[in-house]
Amino acid sequence: MDSQKAILAALLIVGFIVTPLSGSARAPPQTACGVCTSSLDHAADKHGVSINRAHSELSIQVYENASTEWTATVRLTEGVSALQNDALRNAIVTDALHHARHVAEPTHVSSQISGDTLTVSYRDSDAVETHLGVLVFTRFHASDPVLPFVIGGEGTTSPGADKLVVRAPSDYLVTGDYASAAESKNTVRWNTNKNEKQIKRSTRITFVRNRGLFTGLRTTFARLLYLV
């Protein structure tokens, strides 16, 4: 191969590496709620139980010590009686969380059935980082490879549940803007509909102590420090 052809071949290879492919080159999408989707249906079916999901919600409570508690509630229109069995219900929930593509790393999982509602609670001790006194909730942030190897990357996160709420610790405030999410002084909330299926890939939810100083500046630096 002469030098001109060698150079052309090298440029083509580099161009292929540094040009992002379509969304299919990324990992499959993930959900915030591991038991609010068809993963729960498949797990129940595996154990011989037919269920039908209705409205679902996921509430994520962030604590000052950087731990989090996740509480999912799923209203059922079928399968309630079978899930009254504690051992069977726990087995189904365990399988659903194991096979779901979801963002949390659950520990201390528990479940209960009350009326027609399944409640699943668990902890995730690795979902929050602290920088400059700012709590940064990172589970929805999707990372991309570092240049020049930009093909691929983590999948985008969708709420999974019909309603998703992330709550600030006591005496903390939400800082930042979260696109289509609704915000109050202590919560960030997504209500899903046909036009709102995904959470923005760059989402890093930040919380600062109420009455703190330089909250905007510290928030900006905390988000940058998380990426380092």
Side-chain angles (χ1 to χ4, degrees):
M1 180 183 294
D2 60 36
S3 59
Q4 287 184 334
K5 289 182 179 180
I7 292 172
L8 179 59
L11 289 174
L12 288 173
I13 292 171
V14 171
F16 177 76
I17 290 174
V18 302
T19 302
L21 298 181
S22 65
S24 61
R26 288 182 173 138
Q30 302 180 99
T31 64
C33 184
V35 293
C36 301
T37 67
S38 59
S39 292
L40 183 65
D41 307 353
H42 297 324
D45 185 65
K46 175 183 173 182
H47 290 271
V49 177
S50 177
I51 66 169
N52 188 34
R53 289 174 292 112
H55 184 78
S56 60
E57 296 187 13
L58 175 64
S59 175
I60 304 171
Q61 177 65 60
V62 177
Y63 293 103
E64 187 176 5
N65 65 359
S67 66
T68 58
E69 184 175 15
W70 304 51
T71 303
T73 56
V74 184
R75 187 167 57 83
L76 303 172
T77 59
E78 181 182 356
V80 173
S81 297
L83 295 187
Q84 297 285 354
N85 183 306
D86 292 346
L88 178 59
R89 182 183 66 253
N90 290 332
I92 290 172
V93 167
T94 298
D95 281 353
L97 290 174
H98 179 71
H99 292 291
R101 287 193 57 82
H102 62 126
V103 296
E105 296 179 1
T107 62
H108 303 86
V109 180
S110 64
S111 68
Q112 63 178 7
I113 194 86
S114 177
D116 62 355
T117 301
L118 169 67
T119 301
V120 179
S121 298
Y122 47 90
R123 298 274 181 166
D124 186 343
S125 60
D126 229 7
V128 176
E129 295 186 6
T130 304
H131 300 285
L132 303 176
V134 179
L135 298 174
V136 186
F137 179 85
T138 63
R139 281 297 186 222
F140 300 158
H141 181 263
S143 299
D144 286 319
V146 178
L147 287 169
F149 303 102
V150 299
I151 293 173
E154 293 182 359
T156 302
T157 299
S158 64
D162 297 304
K163 180 180 179 181
L164 167 63
V165 181
V166 183
R167 301 184 186 280
S170 176
D171 203 33
Y172 275 70
L173 302 175
V174 173
T175 57
D177 181 16
Y178 301 100
S180 58
E183 303 154 40
S184 68
K185 66 178 184 179
N186 58 5
T187 64
V188 180
R189 183 177 69 255
W190 284 265
N191 291 308
T192 60
N193 55 49
K194 291 181 179 179
N195 298 317
E196 188 180 327
K197 294 292 186 180
Q198 296 180 335
I199 298 171
K200 190 175 179 180
R201 291 174 56 82
S202 59
T203 297
R204 303 182 297 282
I205 302 176
T206 48
F207 309 96
V208 296
R209 187 180 293 280
N210 193 12
R211 298 179 299 277
L213 298 176
F214 308 110
T215 57
L217 185 62
R218 287 192 293 122
T219 294
T220 298
F221 278 107
R223 288 178 172 171
L224 292 174
L225 288 170
Y226 163 68
L227 299 176
V228 175

